Amino acid sequence: MPVSIAPAPAIAIKKDPKRAHHWKTRPLDALQDADILAMPDSEYMNDVQMAYFRRKLMLLKQDILNNAGETTEHLREETVVVPDPADRATIEEEHALELRTRDRERKLLKKIEQSIARIDAEDYGFCDETGEPIGVGRLLARPTANLSLEAQQRRELKQKMFGD
């Protein structure tokens, strides 16, 4: 049975024309997502965008590392012996949830480091499979994306049909 891949839904990304040239006059740390989104397509992955995404990824990385330190402290603080089995079970479940969250963040940290390496190699912003631009909107939503929306949809469809 032939499988057709539905095209990605057309999502209108609003570019604010008033912000189209902010990137030329504002310092990097004063730029916002809307300024990057408003940049002309001809400026895709120029030095300003690369620096903006590097900064965004570095802040995300620092936030994850700070959370990891807090988790370690939190787990140390709550190692007191609680006589009530229900209370102990609640504490253990909270710890398990926190550890699962940190494990997901650990995996995200690896993707962040790969994305920073792609910026250094000047490959960032382009699809691993097709070489086409991923798009500023997708990168703002998911800075670690390495596939275009269409390539990601194809991959997810294959996984759904054939398993991992």
Side-chain angles (χ1 to χ4, degrees), residues 124-142:
Y124 184 77
F126 296 92
C127 180
D128 281 351
E129 286 184 8
T130 64
E132 295 174 0
I134 292 173
V136 174
R138 177 160 166 73
L139 289 170
L140 287 171
R142 187 178 177 98

Side-chain angles (χ1 to χ4, degrees), residues 15 43 46 122 143:
K15 291 187 175 190
E43 297 294 337
N46 65 6
E122 298 182 4

Side-chain angles (χ1 to χ4, degrees), residues 76-93:
R76 280 190 193 140
E77 288 172 1
E78 292 192 5
T79 54
V80 294
V81 177
V82 180
D84 182 34
D87 288 343
R88 191 168 49 243
T90 301
I91 291 171
E92 288 177 11
E93 187 60 33

Side-chain angles (χ1 to χ4, degrees), residues 57-68 109 112:
L57 288 161
M58 293 299 284
L59 290 172
L60 188 59
K61 179 180 177 179
Q62 190 58 50
D63 190 39
I64 289 172
L65 292 173
N66 290 344
N67 286 344
L109 195 57
I112 289 170

Side-chain angles (χ1 to χ4, degrees), residues 94-110:
E94 287 173 358
H95 287 178
L97 178 64
E98 197 163 350
L99 290 172
R100 278 194 304 271
T101 301
R102 295 303 159 248
D103 189 50
R104 284 199 335 261
E105 287 180 347
R106 180 186 54 81
K107 292 174 186 173
L108 178 59
L109 195 57
K110 188 184 294 185

